[in-house]
Amino acid sequence: MNIVFLGPPGSGKGTQAKKLADANSIPHLSTGDIFREAISAQTPVGKEVKSFVESGKLVPDQLVSKVVFEKLGTLKQGFLLDGYPRTLEQAKDLDVFLKDRSLTLDAVFFFDVDFDELVQRLSARRQCPGCKEVFNLVARTPKRDGTCDACGGALVQRPDDKAEVVKDRLEVYRKQTQPVLGHYEGRPEYHPINAARTIDEVYNELTSRLGQKARA
Ligand code: AP5
Ligand code: MG
């Protein structure tokens, strides 16, 4: 299946993508995780994107699309894109990439959550840099303080989850990413979902909608 997750920072894209990808062996491509890894490994791409990512600004379209298409080009079947496309330009780039390969999207999910809830979720987020598992000090606490349940790694707070950066990220989302919803609205694969429910409730809705598609 070819799946896209759209939604504001903190709406649960990464949490659900990891669960869904692990359960169904679908390659999970998170542009944010790809960039954070490149920054930590100090690769040329990492050096180029560091100031954008850590200040909550968007990485330039051309560079993001190049990185995404290089990864997509290596996949044999199916993908789950988490955090891409995030501008109209990227959405158009993705359309062209897929059309050139006679591919289509099976589902585009929009994770709908109020901004007030997002601020709370992001301030309480902790992530494992090793296996990318996402925790929350309120909604998804690790069994041992500061330690990843999945791999035992030390959990960290993302630099862009500081309150002042979160404010800017939400503004960037409102201005640059919200218009992407209009690009997909009206297409049969587009599904807005209420992502303000519990992690399990959101997951059940995703799997049930994907199940309906698989049976169609
Ligand atoms: P990225 O890493 O993609 O960040 P984001 O889109 O801002 O989204 P987040 O990862 O913050 O949130 P999420 O929706 O994944 O939520 P999560 O599941 O973690 O991008 C980072 C940066 O990289 C960008 O700012 C930009 O600089 C650059 N970048 C990336 N892609 C780009 C692109 N395409 N173009 C240009 N630049 C790009 O959940 C959040 C918290 O809530 C967690 O603590 C979780 O446990 C908790 N939670 C999850 N679900 C629930 C629930 N249902 N109820 C309660 N709590 C929940
Ligand atoms: Mg994420």
Side-chain angles (χ1 to χ4, degrees), residues 10 12-15 30 32-33 36 82 125 127 134 158:
K13 304 181 297 294
T15 301
S30 155
D33 284 343
R36 280 183 290 277
D82 155 14
R125 171 165 59 190
Q127 188 171 16
V134 180
R158 280 173 36 180

Side-chain angles (χ1 to χ4, degrees), residues 116-170:
D116 287 349
E117 162 83 9
L118 298 172
V119 172
Q120 289 177 27
R121 285 188 190 181
L122 291 171
S123 64
R125 171 165 59 190
R126 298 293 181 272
Q127 188 171 16
C128 177
C131 73
K132 313 288 181 281
E133 198 69 40
V134 180
F135 295 87
N136 189 280
L137 301 183
V138 181
R140 188 168 185 250
T141 51
K143 290 194 184 79
R144 273 200 300 142
D145 254 7
T147 306
C148 176
D149 292 353
C151 74
L155 301 180
V156 298
Q157 183 169 32
R158 280 173 36 180
D160 59 345
D161 279 349
K162 290 191 202 94
E164 62 279 13
V165 185
V166 165
K167 215 167 120 252
D168 290 348
R169 285 165 66 201
L170 291 174

Side-chain angles (χ1 to χ4, degrees), residues 12 21 52 59 92 159 164 167 197 215:
F52 292 101
V59 172
K92 290 178 195 159
E164 62 279 13
K167 215 167 120 252
R197 292 167 296 165
R215 287 190 295 277

Side-chain angles (χ1 to χ4, degrees), residues 16 20 109-111 191-213:
Q16 300 293 341
L20 201 62
F109 290 107
F110 162 51
F111 285 56
H191 303 286
I193 58 164
N194 171 5
R197 292 167 296 165
T198 67
I199 293 174
D200 286 345
E201 284 168 341
V202 175
Y203 185 71
N204 288 342
E205 173 158 4
L206 293 173
T207 51
S208 119
R209 287 192 182 265
L210 290 170
Q212 286 161 15
K213 283 176 186 291

